Amino acid sequence: MDATDPPTLPPQMFTTSAQLLDLTDKKLMVALRDGRKLIGVLRAWDQVRYANLVLQNTIERIYTDEMYADVPRGVFIVRGENVLLLGEIDLDKEDDVPLPQGTFNEAFTHQKREATETKRRERVQRRKLRALGFEDEGEVLH
């Protein structure tokens, strides 16, 4: 670096989509607002408005309490406003998932069962709160 060169800022100083520059061509996990988890290699992104992402060799990982399953998705375009969280995957620890891997159908069945149980518990909780005089925010009262 020459004395006349302007100082360069570390990439962590950027608060825009330019921060993605360090993550280009690296394997990422992207959590979306709808709850899905994507794992893929970041190949491209834009700076226009939303920092849209293009992931290659993407898999969608489905987690349940008992297992996980990977669904191949290939090239995946993610609208930036749907990204909740993203991070680089440590390739040395990538395969250290503390759950057994299952098939998509098994994981989907477990996921549906868990969602049904969660809805049932929430209904019971709402009834108890209504009995105590609290108003319900989630559904129309009958």
Side-chain angles (χ1 to χ4, degrees):
M1 180 175 209
D2 191 25
T4 60
D5 289 339
T8 57
L9 295 174
Q12 295 80 7
M13 295 298 292
F14 293 103
T15 57
T16 64
S17 59
Q19 196 170 23
L20 294 171
L21 187 59
D22 271 358
L23 298 175
T24 304
D25 296 329
K26 294 188 178 166
K27 195 167 196 178
L28 304 179
M29 189 285 297
V30 180
L32 301 179
R33 289 187 340 180
D34 65 2
R36 291 184 292 168
K37 300 346 177 247
L38 302 174
I39 297 173
V41 179
L42 179 64
R43 292 297 182 199
W45 47 274
D46 67 17
Q47 292 181 322
V48 177
R49 184 170 184 181
Y50 296 109
N52 301 310
L53 309 174
V54 177
L55 300 173
Q56 186 180 26
N57 300 328
T58 307
I59 59 167
E60 180 178 346
R61 185 159 284 176
I62 300 171
Y63 289 99
T64 69
D65 289 340
E66 302 173 15
M67 65 180 9
Y68 77 96
D70 291 338
V71 182
R73 297 293 187 199
V75 175
F76 207 92
I77 299 172
V78 180
R79 187 173 171 120
E81 67 180 359
N82 292 322
V83 174
L84 182 65
L85 174 78
L86 66 86
E88 184 178 356
I89 291 181
D90 184 348
L91 298 177
D92 294 334
K93 297 181 181 180
E94 177 181 11
D95 296 327
D96 296 342
V97 180
L99 295 170
Q101 184 171 3
T103 65
F104 168 74
N105 289 333
E106 291 171 329
F108 186 70
T109 302
H110 282 281
Q111 196 176 45
K112 280 181 73 172
R113 191 176 324 129
E114 288 172 6
T116 302
E117 179 59 24
T118 299
K119 283 182 183 179
R120 187 195 65 75
R121 278 194 314 267
E122 287 175 354
R123 275 195 309 271
V124 169
Q125 184 180 21
R126 280 196 301 270
R127 279 192 211 118
K128 288 179 181 178
L129 290 172
R130 265 187 259 153
L132 294 171
F134 289 93
E135 291 188 24
D136 192 353
E137 295 179 7
E139 59 186 43
V140 178
L141 297 176
H142 299 288

